C-alpha cells in the first residue's frame, strides 16, 4: 500500500538555526498537506500544495512540492521556541479523497 | 466558530473492557473522520463518514471497533473488547465536503490507555 515517510524522525536545533523536514511518498500524489502538532496537542493544518514544483511561504516557513509530486519539504528559517512540535505531511492518493499521514518529524528547539 | 468537540479527554480501562468515544464536528461539516494515533506515529484513518454514510472503513478492525454517526452530526466510536495495542489517542476530525482546500480540523482527542 501507499507509504509516506518523513526524515529525519527527530531534530534538535539551537534557537536561530534553520530546520528542514522531508516527506517522501511511494506513489504520485494529487496534493500534499502539512500539519503541526504541539506536544500534547492535536494536528493543526498549515498549508496545502497542489502543483508540481509549487513553493509557498508562510513567514519563516517555506513549503515545496516536488516536480514528480512524490516528495515535499518544509523549511523553517531561524527557528524559535514556538516552533517546537511534530510536523506531519499528509499526501492525497490520486483518485480518492483519502490522505495518508507521514511518520512525522519531531522538532526540539533549544533556547 | 466552535471547534471539533471530543469526550472524554482521557480514559483508562482494563483489557477486554469496552469503551466509547464521542465526537461533535464543526457545524456544517459534512465529512467526519476517526483517526488512531499511536505514540510516535502519524494519525491513521479508521473510518470516514459523509453525512451519516460510511465512505471508508477499510482500516477499521471490525471485529472489535464500531462507529456510527447519528443524523449526520455527532459520532461515537466504540471498542469492544479492548486490547493493550489499542492504547493510543483517538482523534476525530471534520471537514467541509472535501478536505483538500482547508485541510482537516481535528479535535483535542481522547487518550486511551489499556492496562
Amino acid at each position: 500500500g501507499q507509504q509516506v515517510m518523513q526524515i529525519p524522525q527527530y531534530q534538535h536545533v539551537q534557537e536561530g538555526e534553520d530546520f528542514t523536514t522531508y516527506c517522501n511518498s511511494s506513489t504520485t500524489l494529487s496534493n500534499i498537506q502539512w500539519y503541526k502538532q504541539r506536544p500534547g496537542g492535536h494536528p493543526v493544518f498549515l498549508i496545502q500544495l497542489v502543483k508540481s514544483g509549487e513553493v509557498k511561504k508562510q513567514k519563516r516557513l517555506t513549503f515545496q512540492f516536488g516536480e514528480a509530486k512524490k516528495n515535499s519539504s518544509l523549511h523553517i528559517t531561524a527557528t524559535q521556541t514556538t516552533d517546537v512540535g511534530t510536523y506531519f505531511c499528509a499526501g492525497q492518493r490520486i483518485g480518492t479523497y483519502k490522505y495518508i499521514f507521514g511518520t512525522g518529524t519531531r522538532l526540539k528547539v533549544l533556547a | 466558530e466552535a471547534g471539533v468537540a471530543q469526550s472524554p479527554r482521557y480514559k483508562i480501562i482494563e483489557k477486554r473492557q469496552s469503551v466509547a468515544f464521542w465526537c461533535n464536528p464543526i457545524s456544517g461539516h459534512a465529512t467526519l473522520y476517526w483517526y488512531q494515533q499511536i505514540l510516535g506515529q502519524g494519525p491513521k484513518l479508521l473510518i470516514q463518514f459523509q453525512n451519516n454514510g460510511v465512505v471508508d472503513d477499510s482500516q477499521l478492525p471490525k471485529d472489535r471497533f464500531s462507529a456510527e454517526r447519528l443524523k449526520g452530526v455527532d459520532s461515537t466510536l466504540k471498542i469492544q473488547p479492548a486490547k493493550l495495542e489499542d492504547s493510543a489517542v483517538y482523534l476525530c476530525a471534520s471537514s467541509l465536503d472535501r478536505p483538500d482546500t482547508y485541510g482537516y480540523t481535528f479535535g483535542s482527542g481522547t487518550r486511551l490507555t489499556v492496562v
Side-chain angles (χ1 to χ4, degrees), chain B residues 35-85:
Chain B
Y35 280 85
Q36 179 193 58
Q37 187 175 24
I38 293 172
L39 186 65
Q41 299 182 17
K44 184 185 86 170
L45 179 67
L46 292 175
I47 190 166
Q48 175 183 342
F49 292 95
Q50 180 80 15
N51 296 309
N52 60 352
V54 176
V55 173
D56 184 347
D57 63 357
S58 56
Q59 296 198 86
L60 186 73
K62 299 180 186 63
D63 57 333
R64 299 184 300 107
F65 286 65
S66 64
E68 59 181 5
R69 189 180 185 193
L70 300 175
K71 300 179 182 178
V73 182
D74 292 6
S75 178
T76 56
L77 176 69
K78 296 179 181 178
I79 307 175
Q80 182 179 8
K83 293 185 176 181
L84 295 176
E85 59 261 35

Side-chain angles (χ1 to χ4, degrees), chain A residues 35-44 84-88, chain B residues 37 41 43 89 91:
Chain A
Y35 292 79
K36 176 183 178 181
Q37 185 171 25
R38 293 182 183 275
H42 56 275
V44 174
V84 165
T86 301
Y87 292 85
F88 291 100
Chain B
Q37 187 175 24
Q41 299 182 17
V89 175
L91 294 162

Side-chain angles (χ1 to χ4, degrees), chain A residues 33 35 37 42 45 48 99, chain B residues 37 56 99-100 102 104 107:
Chain A
Q33 298 178 346
Y35 292 79
Q37 185 171 25
H42 56 275
F45 175 75
Q48 175 171 282
Y99 284 81
Chain B
Q37 187 175 24
D56 184 347
D100 56 350
Y102 302 106
Y104 300 102

